[in-house]
Amino acid sequence: QVQLVESGGGLVQAGGSLRLSCAASGRTDNSYVIGWFRQAPGKEREFVAAIRWSGDTTYYADSVKGRFAISRDDGKNMVYLQMNSLRPEDTAVYYCASSPRHYDDAYYYTARSIYNYFGQGTQVTVSS
């Protein structure tokens, strides 16, 4: 199993920034990519960003491109989501997720179904 713990959520004003952290532990050798998802009240969980543990491949949802940046620290088994220029519509519970799947096309990492472990989530609230 892969255990994932998110942190760094909170309340911020529109235009502000937050950095979320995802700590991975357990069988991380079974983890090939880490994704961030979010779920707002009454809505389905949606893809935000993904990064592979090796190489420089990242992928973003169109709604966050240019505002969010995903990065990792291999030595610490940590993945980060830097969120800038936050908007009220970014308000959601943010989850990190692990997938063992290997795809040449990073587009496939947007699919929730390929992730087999999710963390408990961290709340992000953006006030207008």
Side-chain angles (χ1 to χ4, degrees), residues 12-73:
V12 64
Q13 289 188 332
S17 298
L18 282 174
R19 189 177 83 153
L20 305 183
S21 299
C22 174
S25 61
R27 292 295 306 273
T28 55
D29 55 317
N30 288 340
S31 177
Y32 185 71
V33 64
I34 293 291
W36 283 98
F37 288 78
R38 65 186 181 185
Q39 188 166 17
K43 295 187 177 181
E44 293 192 356
R45 195 170 296 188
E46 65 174 3
F47 172 79
V48 175
I51 188 168
R52 294 175 179 163
W53 282 112
S54 62
D56 299 324
T57 301
T58 57
Y59 200 85
Y60 297 92
D62 288 344
S63 59
V64 306
K65 279 182 183 176
R67 301 189 298 124
F68 290 11
I70 190 170
S71 62
R72 67 176 195 268
D73 184 329

Side-chain angles (χ1 to χ4, degrees), residues 81-126:
L81 186 68
Q82 178 67 42
M83 306 187 296
N84 300 323
S85 302
L86 282 162
R87 305 166 180 168
E89 54 263 40
D90 294 318
T91 294
V93 178
Y94 283 71
Y95 302 88
C96 63
S98 172
S99 172
R101 303 286 186 91
H102 293 220
Y103 295 109
D104 289 336
D105 188 345
Y107 169 79
Y108 292 100
Y109 292 119
T110 65
R112 179 183 173 181
S113 60
I114 69 149
Y115 294 86
N116 53 353
Y117 296 106
F118 280 81
Q120 293 299 306
T122 185
Q123 176 71 48
V124 171
T125 303
V126 184

Side-chain angles (χ1 to χ4, degrees), residues 1-5 23-28 117:
Q1 284 191 342
V2 177
Q3 289 82 42
L4 303 167
V5 178
S25 61
R27 292 295 306 273
T28 55
Y117 296 106

